[in-house]
């Protein structure tokens, strides 16, 4: 494992950075950064970049835990799980990547929370951000839910792919899901009842952030800084040349899945997402509070999760506004 | 102790190789029931102790961080908590019921399919190879169809379980029927067994060992399909082992994951014990028990 | 190979073979086991088949029992007759006890339970295995297995019995006893019996007629009536004389073939 | 055509039940190679045609929306496009290689494990029941361990495949060895076969049919484990059938999903044909081929 | 059950049984097959065992061959002697051709390929099955299978041969021929033979000594030397006389048992 072989915090010698991400629209900066060679360029000749793609968070976290991965783009839930399960030791968030892109899509005809009474609403996974967001929102609207799926509104956690199938077949009445599933449900005849951005201050909440293993961060802070540079540059690219970025995403997904993703779908989902370097730490914290409020988790201490020093150095050097370190 | 031919003759001793010695040792009559029980039990405990010891040693070596690879103490502590919680027992109840119903359905389908394919030429030509092909289809490929057909009901889970396990059972039946000694089939026919009676009196009992083997493989397929299928439908207020397994992984909860793995292993052991007893009974009847040395 | 289709005859217990030919395998591998064999067995007749090893005796019995198809010629049986065949090997069901093995044909005939039990006990007594009813085939000696097979075949209660060396694995005494039993049953039930044996004295002891088959391909080369009055004894001079004659013929046949 | 005993005697005709008639029909020698080939082929095509027809009928009935259940035309069109694209062939190459290597490893492990457990008493007592228990462990439970042990390499995938398939192979071996007729073992021993030679000359060939059956089941387990394992990690933009299957589902691409299912079925059919040929060769040698009617 | 441990003797080919007891099963199910049987076979001796069906003859041979454990008593064989056993059933390997079946013991002895082929051909000639080398067991007749088993046992080339009704499924002629062959091989190679048969004439034709076993449990009740000079003919008066005497004894034994 290359991550462990240079324990001395030296910056010399060849280093391999093993980076994980999902071939997915919410991971656009990662996909574009890899596809367009932005990371390679920023990391320079001394650092070899190895990329791995994942289908779901747990495997990525397992890889980080086992030392098979040095950094990964990942959603807020696995981030919290990795941090809390390792008692705050294993991982650090060094940058944000994306915000937004989540909505409650329901069958046409449902126009208010009250109409959801007795209905079945899907979420990606019990206790994940979307699940919590749905339950908290319902609670605020005075609708009870239970962890086991009972209550006024029946919450059914299931894989997103399956949500599309069950929504299409009429087995569920709606779903609180991230992109690109929002767009896909809309295409399957759904209407957006709640755009989650509307529930957050500044319409911002984290959907993807960049995580590095603490070990790697300690051993190669310089490499992490270069990685963050790459992330910032990738976001720059994504935000300034959306068409090219969308094409790159489509091509990249095509390489892995054997079929390029329809750019129409990407275009449709694009406006709901915001690609920002700010990890929006407050939204993660708030989300956790909500989870505690709806009785899904015990309080978790997130102190020390964020290490935004490098991000702020990079932003400062580029004359961009820094983000607040919580 | 009785002396014997082999011990009494030097040449044999010299020629006996390691494995042979074990085989012959196995053939000796055990002096008592207690010793027999002990002989059957201690290797299990030894194996278990060895496995736990190696595990503990690896953990102590500091090879991986404790959150990546928790030690036995942590896992067994979590297992204890898990065993005291309602979720294990409720999960077991739900999953166990589904496993039994699904497996029963799979066995029914598999037996019929297997018998049909094994003895009816046209069916064999048409479906024979399809059975293994179906067997290789991963459960998730059936999920969309399951949902189309059964929506979010338990039937969807059973559908996946049956599609996973029935081919295995059918293959066991076909294999068994294919290798029924022709002499016994002839004997049965001559004794007046035709059609269904031939199955009942000759083919089924002759194929029984292979059918039991097929059932065992089918159980494994059924259980694995169930573990996947239980994610398909998380029915209101009903927790299940399959869902708990995935949640443990989703939450990166290594101790709980390993606790559930232990539960699955224990269940597997229990089921195997049942199959093993059935198989042993058959082998005793057929007179092929002694040779294997137990 | 010529062949004709025929209609069943009415005489129960009669067996008629017309130009029966049997070829095993195809092409170069083909073995001509029987070649145009014709044989008429009258109802109630006891015919012993004698012939060299591999001359087609078992093949013939299998064909008559309907367990194999003829390659040519026809075999006619009385209407509704399902001949009972005692195979050359015991062919017992290894998963059942001795009792259950003998019970199978009774069950298949739909006999009620108590009648079955009674009949099984009676048959096991006939073959002197009453004590072994609850054993399994693998716990028996070779000769015992053969006797169980005999009991099972007798349980079929058919008018035509085909027996392939039924007493080959038995000692002389047990065999003598079973000869008597078989003769008794045969005459009581007026059975037609086709009996393969290598023991020429046995043939002379039991048969109305002895038929000698030639070596591959099997054809009938000699046939003789045994006119010794019953009851016969296997070591009586008459039986010995017949046996000597058949042995002589057999010797000539095998000798001819050997050259 | 030759007349025969059964046709020549009215009683038998009357007594033959439906199934029996089929069996007997099956025993008749086919007049020529062409007709035999045809007899083996038409039922397959008939079954295929029937399946497609039912599918089309359901689609035409409008039971489900076309994007939920696409019709054959759409799927076959997509299959055509898929077959012309590089991704199918690259995926097949990657997955096929993994399947072969993983299966080979599983077979090696399974055979050794099976032989050991079948013949060594202590091992059987210690591990016998564990084999089925391992078999029931779903692949996803092994993922964390696979990553711990092998990081994100292909070995991690092989690990999952071997753990999935080896128990199945081992169970086949154990079953085969358990049912070797004791008489043949005795004959082998008396002819001077001890230790390894006894395996080579007696036990292995006698158990071969059951071992082949175990290998077939093992293949199905290996393939299913592979389909799951390929999601574990996608190495350096390398596409694979398993990944394509899951992504097709993730993207709700029903036509592509069904196209991949067809590819998997065809692969399964090919593999089964190979196993079927092996099995048929064994059955021909053993002289148990005729009875099954093909 | 008493038992003692013994050291191997040196005389190759000798077989010595001392108070051999064999019990099958346990508890109530137990069957006492042999009860304190003692028998000495000198090197080069041809001993025939005769006895009623199920009296323990096959059991005895299995014990001598080391395939089963005695329940009491000891069996001593010459140092390094591995007796060849021809089972009551052919026990051929169904997956091999006739040739390969016969070749197995040669392979296990590590003979080079061309010597093996030669020896197999010779053995198949001995049992008159040269044309059937490439067939598989299921394609043979019962008697043919038995002859293949004989060839395979002879291929073992051991000084002690145990034969369990080796010619039971053969016609009289083939049997005569094989008697001659066996006698030739026996005298050429100075074999020790323990030969189970139900055919008392066969015993008188072949044996130096005939041993009669009682019915369950098996014990030796009678033993006689056959002093007829070789070569003998099976239908010679001397052989017949001995056979008659043994039959008489056997009859008495079975009769006694029957009461
Ligand atoms: N299934 C088969 N396939 C090929 N050849 C066969 C088959 N069955 C029998 N044969 C051949 O047919 C011939 C006759 O065999 P059959 O069993 O009828 O002889 P048999 O007269 O009963 O001999 P035996 O007295 O030795 O039992 C033999 O040459 C044998 O090799
Ligand atoms: N495996 C076994 N389990 C229980 N009983 C057995 C077993 N094998 C043999 N016996 C019993 O031991 C006795 C002797 O059997 P054995 O086979 O030695 O007889 P045999 O003298 O060879 O008879 P035959 O002439 O009929 O072959 C029989 O009563 C038989 O039932
Ligand atoms: Mg025969
Ligand atoms: Mg015997």
């Amino acid at each position: 494992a290359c991550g462990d072989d240079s324990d001395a915090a030296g910056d010399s010698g060849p280093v391999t950075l093993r980076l994980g991400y999902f071939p997915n629209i919410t991971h656009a900066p990662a996909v574009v950064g890899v596809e367009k060679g932005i990371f390679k360029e920023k990391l320079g000749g001394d650092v070899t970049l190895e990329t791995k793609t994942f289908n779901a968070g747990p495997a990525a976290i397992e890889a980080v835990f086992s030392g098979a991965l040095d950094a990964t783009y990942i959603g807020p839930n696995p981030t919290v799980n990795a941090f809390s399960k390792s008692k705050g030791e294993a991982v650090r968030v060094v940058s944000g990547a994306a915000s937004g892109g989540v909505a409650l899509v329901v069958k046409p005809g449902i126009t208010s929370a009250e109409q959801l009474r007795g209905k079945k609403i899907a979420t990606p996974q019990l206790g994940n951000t979307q699940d919590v967001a749905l339950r908290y929102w319902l609670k605020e609207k005075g609708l009870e839910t239970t962890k086991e799926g009972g209550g006024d509104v029946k919450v059914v956690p299931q894989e997103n792919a399956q949500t599309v199938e069950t929504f299409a077949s009429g087995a569920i009445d709606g779903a609180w899901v991230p992109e690109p599933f929002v767009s896909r449900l809309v295409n399957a005849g759904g209407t957006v009842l709640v755009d989650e951005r509307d529930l957050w201050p500044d319409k911002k909440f984290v959907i993807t952030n960049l995580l590095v293993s603490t070990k790697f961060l300690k051993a190669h802070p310089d490499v992490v800084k270069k990685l963050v540079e790459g992330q910032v540059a990738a976001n720059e690219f994504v935000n300034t040349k959306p068409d090219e970025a969308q094409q790159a995403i489509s091509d990249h997904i095509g390489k892995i899945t054997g079929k390029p993703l329809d750019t129409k779908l990407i275009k449709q989902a694009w406006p709901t997402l915001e690609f920002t370097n700010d990890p929006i730490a407050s939204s993660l914290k708030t989300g956790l509070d909500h989870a505690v409020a709806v009785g899904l988790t015990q309080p978790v201490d997130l102190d020390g999760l964020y290490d935004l020093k490098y991000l702020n150095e990079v932003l400062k050097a580029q004359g961009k506004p820094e983000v607040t370190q919580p | 102790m009785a002396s014997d031919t082999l011990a009494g003759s030097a040449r044999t001793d010299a020629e006996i190789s390691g494995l042979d010695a074990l085989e012959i040792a196995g053939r000796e009559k055990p002096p008592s029931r207690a010793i027999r029980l002990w002989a059957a039990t201690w290797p299990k405990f030894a194996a278990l102790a060895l496995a736990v010891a190696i595990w503990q040693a690896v953990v102590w070596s500091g090879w991986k961080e404790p959150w990546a690879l928790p030690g036995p103490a942590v896992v067994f502590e979590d297992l204890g908590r898990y065993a005291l919680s309602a979720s294990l027992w409720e999960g077991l109840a739900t999953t166990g019921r589904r496993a039994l119903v699904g497996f029963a359905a799979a066995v029914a389908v598999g037996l019929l399919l297997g018998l049909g394919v094994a003895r009816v030429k046209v069916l064999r030509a048409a479906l024979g190879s399809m059975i293994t092909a179906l067997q290789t289809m991963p459960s998730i490929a059936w999920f969309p169809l399951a949902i189309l057909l059964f929506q979010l009901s338990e039937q969807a889970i059973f559908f996946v379980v049956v599609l996973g396990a029935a081919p295995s059972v059918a293959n066991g039946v076909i294999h068994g029927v294919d290798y029924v000694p022709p002499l016994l089939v002839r004997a049965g026919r001559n004794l007046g067994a035709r059609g269904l009676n031939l199955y009942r009196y000759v083919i089924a009992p002759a194929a029984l060992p292979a059918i039991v083997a097929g059932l065992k493989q089918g159980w494994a397929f059924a259980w694995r399909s169930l573990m996947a299928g239980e994610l398909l439908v998380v029915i209101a207020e009903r927790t299940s082992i399959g869902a708990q397994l995935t949640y443990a992984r989703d939450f990166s909860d290594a101790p709980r994951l390993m606790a559930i793995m232990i539960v699955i292993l224990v269940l597997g052991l229990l089921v195997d014990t049942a199959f093993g007893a059935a198989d042993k009974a058959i082998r005793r009847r057929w007179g092929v028990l002694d040779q294997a040395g137990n | 190979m010529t062949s004709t289709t025929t209609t069943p005859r009415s005489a129960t217990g009669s067996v008629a073979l017309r130009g029966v030919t049997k070829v095993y395998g195809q092409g170069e591998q083909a073995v001509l086991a029987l070649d145009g064999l014709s044989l008429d067995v009258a109802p109630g007749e006891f015919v012993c088949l004698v012939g060299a090893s591999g001359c087609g005796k078992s093949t013939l019995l299998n064909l008559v029992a309907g367990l194999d198809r003829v390659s040519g010629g026809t075999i006619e049986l009385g209407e509704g007759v399902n001949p009972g065949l005692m195979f050359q090997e015991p062919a017992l069901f290894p998963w059942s006890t001795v009792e259950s093995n003998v019970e199978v044909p009774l069950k298949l005939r739909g006999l009620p339970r108590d009648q079955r039990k009674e009949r099984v006990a009676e048959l096991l007594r006939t073959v002197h295995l009453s004590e072994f009813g609850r054993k399994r085939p693998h716990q028996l000696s070779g000769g015992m297995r053969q006797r169980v097979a005999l009991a099972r075949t007798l349980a079929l209660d058919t008018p035509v019995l085909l027996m392939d060396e039924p007493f080959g694995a038995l000692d002389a005494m047990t065999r003598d006893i079973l000869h008597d039993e078989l003769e008794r049953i045969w005459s009581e039930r007026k059975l037609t019996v086709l009996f393969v044996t290598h023991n020429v004295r046995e043939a002379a002891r039991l048969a109305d007629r002895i038929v000698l088959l030639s070596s591959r391909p099997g054809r009938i080369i000699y046939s003789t009536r045994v006119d010794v009055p019953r009851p016969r004894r296997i070591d009586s001079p008459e039986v010995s004389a017949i046996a000597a004659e058949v042995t002589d013929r057999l010797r000539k046949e095998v000798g001819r073939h050997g050259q």
Side-chain angles (χ1 to χ4, degrees), chain B residues 2-16:
Chain B
S3 88
D4 61 86
T5 335
L6 293 161
S9 150
R11 50 94 197 169
T12 330
D13 276 315
E15 276 171 36
I16 287 173

Side-chain angles (χ1 to χ4, degrees), chain C residues 132 135 138-144 169:
Chain C
F132 290 86
K135 299 263 176 202
H138 70 96
Q139 297 174 313
L140 301 183
S141 79
M144 290 166 159

Side-chain angles (χ1 to χ4, degrees), chain C residues 149-192:
Chain C
L150 174 64
R152 192 176 65 174
T153 311
L154 290 177
L156 261 173
D157 270 335
T158 78
V160 179
L161 264 190
L162 312 170
M163 309 179 87
D164 202 348
E165 299 186 43
F167 305 136
L170 297 180
D171 62 285
M173 299 311 106
T174 313
R175 189 187 306 207
D176 278 358
I177 296 167
L178 290 180
H179 284 165
D180 295 345
E181 292 282 356
L182 180 61
E183 195 171 44
R184 180 180 60 77
I185 294 168
W186 165 72
S187 66
E188 272 177 23
R189 299 211 216 134
K190 304 209 180 356
L191 299 178
T192 309

Side-chain angles (χ1 to χ4, degrees), chain B residues 7 14 20 22 38 97 131 138 161 185 188-190 214 216 225 288:
Chain B
D20 255 50
L22 282 163
W38 169 239
R97 194 180 43 73
I131 292 176
V161 170
V185 176
R189 293 174 68 87
N190 186 253
K216 207 158 105 172
S225 302
V288 295

Side-chain angles (χ1 to χ4, degrees), chain A residues 3-20:
Chain A
D4 333 36
D5 53 20
S6 42
D7 280 341
D11 354 335
S12 58
V15 178
T16 305
L17 170 67
R18 292 154 313 166
L19 176 68

Side-chain angles (χ1 to χ4, degrees), chain A residues 221-237:
Chain A
D222 55 318
V223 179
V224 173
K225 188 175 169 190
K226 287 178 194 164
L227 174 65
V228 173
E229 269 176 45
Q231 153 59 24
V232 172
N235 255 0
E236 181 82 30
F237 187 103

Side-chain angles (χ1 to χ4, degrees), chain C residues 24-25 31-33 51-60 88 164-165 196 198 216:
Chain C
Y24 284 110
V31 175
L32 181 60
S53 175
C55 75
K57 305 179 292 296
S58 303
T59 302
L60 181 66
Q88 195 165 4
D164 202 348
E165 299 186 43
V196 169
H198 286 311
R216 253 168 301 124

